[in-house]
Amino acid sequence: MSMPIHPSRRYLREETLPTAFCPGCYNGIVMNALFQAFKEMGVEDLRDYVFVSGIGCSSWIPSPYIKADSIHTLHGRAIPVATGVKLSRPELNVVVIAGDGDLASIGGNHLLHAARRNMDLVVVMINNLVYGMTRGQLAPTTPRGMKTITTPYGNPENPFDVARLLGYTEANYVARWCVCNYIQLKNSFKEVFTRIKRGFRFIEVYAPCITYVVRREKKSPGEKLKELMRRCIPLKKYYSLLDNERGDKIPIGVYKAEDKPGFLENYRAYIRKAMEG
Ligand code: SF4
């Protein structure tokens, strides 16, 4: 009698295991939530999906670990490549999975303009707060005051709040969850593949790097998760607080969820008009 396949294994490229992630890295939680979403959606295999990633630890999730077609692109260039894939194969679900260094720094302009265009992509940004793969340098998402390998006395800069920023664009869907919000994260994945299937859909996952953030704080991955559960509060509650009351709290939730036509539909209408003209 054959054993039932664990939901995670069905979508995994087994021959690439074990993963290259550090022990305890939260990337595994994100990958598992995505696979659980696929399972609950009844996805048999990922032939209707293409994954695109840049450079960084989280960019390894699609390439090589997910059993689907994937493109591992240059640093910061995942979104333009994904845009090209979507324009040439509009029937496919095109998904970008990359880190905060890749998407918010080197690829920052691509991210903003894809959101402005409401490009028909799902973009998952795993925010580990640093450049993890190159040993923990300052990123545009590093909290002010946090010590990194390049800011040993604490980060003097203000970070980008990427989800909040994209909430002001034309993107159809913007949400932020933490790795401690497994159910909400999994449900968000389902939302962007089933209920809102067009336009730019962005999910930020707050997942501090274990090796270059959490260990520096002398905490275990489990202790950090408990701390994050205390710090993560719903958006409404967070924005009802005064600045000096927010402290170390992290706002989580859905910034916007709309289902207006994405770039592809608008572009097709434009082409029709040009042809008639
Ligand atoms: Fe994960 Fe950080 Fe290790 Fe990268 S460096 S695999 S983000 S723990």
Side-chain angles (χ1 to χ4, degrees):
M1 194 176 75
S2 62
M3 294 283 289
I5 302 174
H6 187 276
S8 300
R9 312 294 282 202
R10 179 183 306 178
Y11 312 110
L12 260 181
R13 231 180 255 287
E14 299 268 353
E15 66 275 20
T16 60
L17 300 180
T19 69
F21 303 138
C22 306
C25 177
Y26 295 141
N27 282 343
I29 297 179
V30 182
M31 192 155 73
N32 202 282
L34 179 65
F35 291 168
Q36 185 62 31
F38 285 142
K39 181 184 170 249
E40 292 180 18
M41 285 157 53
V43 174
E44 278 298 314
D45 58 50
L46 297 172
R47 69 182 65 195
D48 295 333
Y49 292 76
V50 173
F51 292 83
V52 184
S53 60
I55 300 297
C57 302
S58 46
S59 291
W60 285 331
I61 292 178
S63 165
Y65 304 126
I66 297 184
K67 198 190 280 182
D69 287 337
S70 61
I71 309 178
H72 209 138
T73 67
L74 299 176
H75 209 345
R77 308 299 171 228
I79 286 185
V81 172
T83 299
V85 175
K86 186 68 188 178
L87 291 179
S88 58
R89 295 290 304 275
E91 76 280 12
L92 297 175
N93 293 298
V94 183
V95 185
V96 171
I97 302 180
D100 48 313
D102 196 271
L103 287 171
S105 180
I106 297 170
N109 245 3
H110 299 310
L111 180 68
L112 281 179
H113 289 286
R116 172 180 66 80
R117 291 184 179 122
N118 203 18
M119 184 57 66
D120 302 77
L121 301 173
V122 169
V123 176
V124 181
M125 185 185 86
I126 302 183
N127 182 1
N128 68 359
L129 308 180
V130 288
Y131 283 87
M133 202 173 80
T134 48
R135 304 191 65 187
Q137 294 87 349
L138 181 80
T141 46
T142 306
R144 192 162 177 175
M146 196 178 97
K147 290 182 180 170
T148 71
I149 199 168
T150 47
T151 52
Y153 302 104
N155 176 20
E157 299 179 7
N158 296 312
F160 262 145
D161 182 336
V162 182
R164 191 176 184 202
L165 183 66
L166 294 188
Y168 293 112
T169 67
E170 291 303 313
N172 265 2
Y173 184 90
V174 178
R176 170 169 45 228
W177 305 108
C178 177
V179 271
C180 60
N181 311 121
Y182 181 86
I183 302 287
Q184 293 95 325
L185 175 61
K186 183 248 314 170
N187 288 340
S188 233
F189 285 140
K190 286 166 68 177
E191 179 100 337
V192 296
F193 292 121
T194 55
R195 200 177 73 76
I196 301 176
K197 296 206 277 195
R198 56 187 180 171
F200 194 77
R201 290 145 286 163
F202 177 83
I203 301 173
E204 175 182 343
V205 190
Y206 192 93
C209 171
I210 296 299
T211 301
Y212 297 111
V213 177
V214 178
R215 290 218 175 105
R216 267 180 170 264
E217 297 171 356
K218 309 218 177 315
K219 290 183 185 134
S220 71
E223 286 165 345
K224 188 67 183 181
L225 277 183
K226 280 189 195 148
E227 178 208 297
L228 291 170
M229 285 166 87
R230 173 189 63 76
R231 290 174 54 198
C232 289
I233 60 171
L235 293 179
K236 245 189 184 168
K237 189 169 174 196
Y238 181 87
Y239 291 113
S240 70
L241 298 173
L242 298 172
D243 279 354
N244 62 358
E245 294 171 327
R246 290 176 183 168
D248 66 352
K249 298 284 187 286
I250 302 162
I252 50 150
V254 178
Y255 281 82
K256 65 189 300 192
E258 297 171 4
D259 192 22
K260 58 185 184 299
F263 176 85
L264 278 178
E265 279 167 82
N266 294 336
Y267 190 58
R268 280 184 194 133
Y270 180 87
I271 296 289
R272 270 198 304 277
K273 208 169 164 185
M275 299 294 279
E276 283 160 18

